[in-house]
């Protein structure tokens, strides 16, 4: 099995390490800045080859890479945006089936998430395939202590032009719109918030903390939150450092998408719900008024403990 | 008007006018594909009329809620052998009425084999299934069903007469020679046509209901049912003294439990209806039936309960109203029937409209056949007979006094407290009457109303 | 664009194509068996496919092109195609295909129906299989440029669009995509409401039906179905040089910094805010 990982300007995509780990260390990097990117695979990769292909062009890359990869029966790409683009083109070029959105790849057994993650399909692989692995569901195991041998360029014969879209610019992340799975800080709300108005205050608190907004399926279903911001088994898997939960009960479907935050704050009126049990700060109070107060204090940077003064005034 | 691909209208000038207004696109427009609307469209289409059936939901019944029992007799001549393909859940074999206090309950429970064989008495059914089924019958007969389309107002010609409806779609005006409003409780169309005298909230109740998933075998065992049999319980005294009642119905693998309470009483008592429902679910006589049920659906709705005395004008110029839009739901405590009245009135409206269209006239006089039809059948006959019942059922006495009064008498009857000798029914009744402040005069009067209505 | 125009001048104008898949919009999953049950009445084009149709209509209007829609599937997708015609599509094509067909074959079927379109739009994922691969296969088969998972897209000149797609790390990429192109778009923009006359007309509008492309292959990714369970996370194995005690502690997380303090209770939002802000300050999240 070989991991195939797209690289942009020396940066690895989400799920790159997990994918390489799943492929037992063998990887082909393709894109711009491959050598720089390869250092990010230390401890995971055992053999790195690369194709310094320049700007992102999945159509052309697939044609170029296919002959060099045809020998290996199992190609695994991270299901990151670039990986999801390239994988079907590789599969088409190599004329082999695509198994997209895998949760685990242990040939001949591949487990795929389907129906928006509600169910899994287990497939037995009989011939050559291309697969993509969902980031954030596997975790990292192996740590090689052996030094990585230097990356080797991959033998690629340039091919005639294939049509691709032209990249005009790459825009930096905006925490408000950024993919939740990458957010370092997340402020999330659940059914304990009473309506979109309270949710809007939560968004202000998040903005003031430089955090992204997330939530439970209940609030996504209620349309207070776009569905791509739902955290959990049927939403996105996240892995923030800081997680603030307002009015979230901590159902397993939600918490299993939570990663392993360094700090968890849970605000809930029910002290015994699971979210409170896993919190570093478990605060039993009404979330709505607290959010209003937090928004006011954070937006005016009046964060110091001035409660006493105001109360006596 | 674009080249609408439908049957041409069958009549002459009605709808179009002398000044060259183009002829109407349809003979009739029916607004609302609930039971009333589907029945109206069905009879119109069968009579050979072109009819558009407008529904705001994405399919008929998508969002419609009710308790859960449809009484099918009204379908007998509309859809012969309807039971062979109707999407039912269970045939109601047991009907129970429960008088309840927070700590007591008295149930009268009737079961009949005759109700679980054709032609059947009542069935539990999901509205999403039932309404879609009936509307499909109308479509098969030739009606043009248009979903995801809300009628927003009546369309009037230069002469001020109704010539169709406007909808929320772009280019949404649709013309017809007659409009039948079956848009349900609080009918916007009937109100905007001025057919309602005044809006009186005391004529409305609000209902909240939960559907809880339970395995079929569990329901069968808890409710003592086999096969397709179903149970239906109507409950009085479960609403903390607020005028109203409760219900419990069985579906195939879910049960429905709900309460219905007066809008005014609710406002005065300042309780949330969800709280009443939660309490009902905790009542020792109900809790074992709903235990461990997984919540599938929660819904709320208003019901017109005033009955005969608050019905609006049923006929306007080129306009008929039927079903809940015309307050035709019969809510008399142990009866909560609306679907059958909706179908009965809708079918009659369709027939009457077809008759008027045949005469090329849809004026109030020409449409009078509608009222004649429902006067002659059960629709208005039942409503007239039960006209006092809504007030009786919702009265302070029935709601607050009678349930504990009756329960206490029964409790004394069945409590064995020897060596004290049994006092006898009359003493028990008198004691209970005093305890609960029930006046003999009221008891006799209410009994007489009840006898006259139900007898 | 009226039906009459296109009938007299077929093929004379370039066209935009939109691929719509008929999918259950709400499913129930049996938590024990993973059996998925769906209500066909709550089925149709997904919000992403509807967004594709809306963009397609906008491009066709901007460029004066025709708009074709196609679906590969059984007769159940016809009401969805008619709804697309009501919204403004000039023609609709159904390719007869079973639902469990492999993505390259679906793409081949769609290429059969929409291959002449210079700009092709799809949703980013179908809700049921949800691999997002059909558009990529379409691009490969048609030799078109692909731009997948666009958050937004707009016409910049006849046959050329610019759009933004998500990258990881919250970044976005701006792309220029000249025709011939296959685009897939996220759910977002809402499909316009179809005018009432068009809805009535579409009920009886002609619908082209193409036969199943032969041979077709069953989706290789249809396997044994189970309800979703999160995968147990792999943990880094402790270095061999650590003591046995330290290795156990590292694997179990025991004695690590996290300890769950008793819940703090307050009814005063001001005091509650103090507690939260103090916590965040102590942990270095705010200054
Ligand atoms: C197959 C499947 C997949 C699922 N996938 C997901 C998923 O991906 N993501 C997901 O989130 N869910 C998912 N769910 C749903 C999940 O099981 C829970 O129902 C959901 O996470 C609960 O959301 P919640 O915490 O917002 O709501 P609830 O569980 O209703 O919790 C609300 C909380 O707010 C508290 N509260 C109430 N009032 C206040 C107040 N005034 N102030 C503070 N707190 C208050 C309550 O005490 C309660 O703890 C899935 C379910 C299934 C069956
Ligand atoms: C809690 C509860 C329990 C009940 N239990 C029972 C029972 O067990 N048995 C029984 O027989 N009856 C019961 N009923 C009463 C029954 O539901 C109604 O009487 C019956 O549904 C009336 O039918 P209808 O067609 O007049 O109106 P509805 O069923 O309300 O249908 C109206 C239709 O019109 C559509 N509509 C409304 N406005 C517009 C518009 N502007 N444009 C387009 N479409 C529109 C709606 O979407 C709907 O489909 C119950 C009612 C409630 C609330
Ligand atoms: N059977 C189909 N018919 C029409 N379009 C399809 C079909 N399958 C997939 N598509 C299109 O391809 C997109 C992505 O689907 P998928 O690759 O299955 O995730 C969908 O949003 C549709 O636009």
């Amino acid at each position: 099995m070989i991991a195939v990982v797209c690289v942009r300007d020396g940066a690895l995509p989400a799920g790159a390490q997990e994918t390489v780990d799943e492929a037992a260390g063998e990887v082909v990097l393709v894109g711009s800045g491959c050598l720089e990117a390869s250092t990010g695979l230390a401890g995971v990769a055992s053999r790195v080859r690369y194709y310094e292909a320049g700007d992102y062009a999945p159509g052309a890359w697939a044609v170029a890479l296919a002959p060099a990869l045809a020998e290996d029966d199992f190609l695994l790409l991270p299901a990151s945006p670039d990986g999801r683009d390239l994988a079907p083109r590789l599969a088409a070029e190599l004329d082999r089936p695509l198994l997209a959105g895998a949760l685990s790849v242990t040939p001949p057994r591949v487990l795929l998430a389907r129906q928006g993650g509600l169910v899994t399909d287990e497939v037995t692989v009989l011939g050559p395939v291309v697969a993509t692995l969902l980031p954030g569901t596997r975790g990292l195991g192996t740590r090689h202590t052996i030094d990585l041998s230097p990356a080797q360029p991959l033998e690629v014969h340039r091919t005639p032009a294939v049509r691709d879209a032209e990249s005009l610019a790459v825009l930096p992340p905006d925490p408000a719109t950024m993919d939740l799975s990458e957010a370092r800080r997340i402020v999330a709300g659940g059914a304990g918030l009473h309506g979109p108005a309270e949710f809007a205050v939560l968004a202000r608190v998040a903005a003031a903390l430089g955090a992204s907004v997330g939530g439970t399926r209940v609030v996504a279903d209620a349309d207070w939150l776009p569905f791509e911001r739902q955290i959990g088994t049927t939403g996105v898997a996240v892995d923030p450092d800081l997680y603030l939960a307002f009015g979230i009960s901590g159902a397993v479907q939600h918490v299993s998408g939570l990663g392993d935050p360094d700090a968890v704050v849970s605000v809930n009126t029910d002290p015994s719900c699971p979210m409170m049990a896993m919190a570093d700060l478990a605060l039993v109070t009404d979330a709505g008024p607290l959010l209003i107060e937090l928004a006011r204090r954070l937006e005016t940077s009046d964060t110091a403990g001035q409660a006493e003064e105001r109360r006596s005034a | 008007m674009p080249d609408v691909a439908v049957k041409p209208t069958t009549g002459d000038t009605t709808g179009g006018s002398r000044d060259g207004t183009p002829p109407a696109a349809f003979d009739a427009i029916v607004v609302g594909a609930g039971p009333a609307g589907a029945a109206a469209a069905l009879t119109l289409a069968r009579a050979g009329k072109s009819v558009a059936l407008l529904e705001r939901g994405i399919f008929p019944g998508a969002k419609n809620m009710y308790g859960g029992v449809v009484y099918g007799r009204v379908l007998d001549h509309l859809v012969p052998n309807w039971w062979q393909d109707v999407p039912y859940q269970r045939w109601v074999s047991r009907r129970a009425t429960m008088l309840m206090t927070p700590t007591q309950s008295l149930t009268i429970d009737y079961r009949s084999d005759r109700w679980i064989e054709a032609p059947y008495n009542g069935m539990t059914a999901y509205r999403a299934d039932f309404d879609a089924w009936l509307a499909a019958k109308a479509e098969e007969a030739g009606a043009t069903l248009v979903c995801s389309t809300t009628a927003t107002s009546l369309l009037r010609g230069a002469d001020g007469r109704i010539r169709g409806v406007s909808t929320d779609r772009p280019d949404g005006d649709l013309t017809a020679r007659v409009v039948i409003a079956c848009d349900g409780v609080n009918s916007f169309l009937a109100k905007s046509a001025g057919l309602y005298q005044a809006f009186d909230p005391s004529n409305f109740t609000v209902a909240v209901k939960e559907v809880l998933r339970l395995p079929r075998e569990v329901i069968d065992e808890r409710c003592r049912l086999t096969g397709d049999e179903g149970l239906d319980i109507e409950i009085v005294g479960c609403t903390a003294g607020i005028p109203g009642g409760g219900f419990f119905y069985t579906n195939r693998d879910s049960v429905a439990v709900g309460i219905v309470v007066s809008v005014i009483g609710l406002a005065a008592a300042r309780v949330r209806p969800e709280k009443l429902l939660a309490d009902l679910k905790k009542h020792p006589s109900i809790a074992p039936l709903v235990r461990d049920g997984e919540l599938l659906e929660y819904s709320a709705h208003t019901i017109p309960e005033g009955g005969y005395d608050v019905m609006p004008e049923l006929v306007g110029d080129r306009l008929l109203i039927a079903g809940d839009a015309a307050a035709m739901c019969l809510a008399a405590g142990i009866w909560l029937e609306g679907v059958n009245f909706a179908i009965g009135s809708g079918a009659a409206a369709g027939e009457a409209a077809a008759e008027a269209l045949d005469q090329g006239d849809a004026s109030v006089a020409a449409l009078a056949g509608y009222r004649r039809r429902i006067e002659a059948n059960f629709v208005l006959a039942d409503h007239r007979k039960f006209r006092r019942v809504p007030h009786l059922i919702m009265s302070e006495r029935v709601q607050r006094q009678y349930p504990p009064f009756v329960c206490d008498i029964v409790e004394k009857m069945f409590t064995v407290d020897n060596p004290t000798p049994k006092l006898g029914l009359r003493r028990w009744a008198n004691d209970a009457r005093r305890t609960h402040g029930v006046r003999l005069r009221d008891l006799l009067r209410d009994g007489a109303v009840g006898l006259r209505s139900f007898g | 664009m009226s039906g009459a125009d296109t009938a007299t001048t077929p093929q004379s104008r370039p066209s935009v194509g939109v691929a719509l898949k008929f999918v259950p919009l709400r499913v129930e999953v049996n938590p024990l068996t993973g059996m998925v049950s769906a209500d066909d009445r709550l089925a149709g084009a997904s919000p992403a496919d509807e967004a594709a149709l809306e963009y397609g209509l906008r491009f066709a209007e901007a460029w004066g092109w025709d708009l074709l829609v196609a679906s590969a599937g059984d007769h159940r997708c016809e009401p969805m195609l008619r709804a697309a015609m009501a919204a403004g599509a000039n023609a609709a094509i159904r390719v007869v295909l079973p639902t469990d067909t492999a993505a390259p074959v679906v793409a081949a079927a769609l290429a059969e129906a929409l291959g002449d379109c210079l700009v092709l739009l799809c949703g980013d994922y179908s809700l049921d299989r949800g691999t997002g691969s059909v558009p990529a296969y379409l691009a490969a088969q048609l030799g078109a440029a692909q731009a997948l998972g666009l958050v937004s897209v707009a016409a910049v000149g006849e046959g050329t669009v610019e759009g933004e797609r998500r990258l990881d790390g919250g970044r976005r990429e701006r792309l220029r995509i000249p025709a011939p192109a296959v685009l897939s778009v996220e759910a977002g923009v809402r499909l316009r409401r179809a005018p009432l006359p068009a809805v009535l007309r579409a009920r009886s509008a002609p619908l082209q039906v193409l036969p199943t492309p032969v041979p077709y292959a069953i989706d290789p990714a249809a396997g044994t179905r189970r309800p979703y369970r999160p995968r147990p996370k792999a943990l880094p194995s402790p270095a061999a040089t650590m003591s046995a005690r330290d290795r156990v502690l590292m694997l179990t997380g025991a004695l690590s910094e996290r300890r769950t303090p008793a819940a703090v209770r307050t009814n005063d939002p001001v005091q509650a805010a103090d507690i939260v802000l103090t916590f965040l300050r102590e942990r270095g999240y705010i200054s």
Side-chain angles (χ1 to χ4, degrees), chain A residues 118 190-192 194 216-218 230-235 247-251 253-254 267-270 273 285-287:
Chain A
L118 291 174
H194 300 109
T216 64
R217 188 163 87 175
V218 177
Q230 171 191 319
I231 295 166
T233 52
T234 50
I248 292 178
S249 63
Q253 293 92 348
H254 180 74
V267 176
N268 202 301
T269 46
D270 171 10
C273 68
T285 194
D286 190 348

Side-chain angles (χ1 to χ4, degrees), chain A residues 94-106:
Chain A
L94 292 164
D95 196 20
R96 42 170 94 172
L98 171 72
L99 301 175
L103 292 162
S104 77
V105 178
T106 45

Side-chain angles (χ1 to χ4, degrees), chain A residues 120 168 171 284 297 311, chain C residues 172 174 226 264 268 274:
Chain A
T120 56
L168 299 178
L171 314 170
V284 184
R297 301 258 290 266
R311 252 193 303 270
Chain C
R172 302 242 175 134
R174 275 205 70 77
R226 299 219 181 74
V264 195
D268 176 8
D274 284 343

Side-chain angles (χ1 to χ4, degrees), chain C residues 76-87:
Chain C
R76 289 174 306 167
C77 49
E78 293 195 354
M80 170 187 78
L81 289 174
R82 290 189 187 286
M85 284 201 273

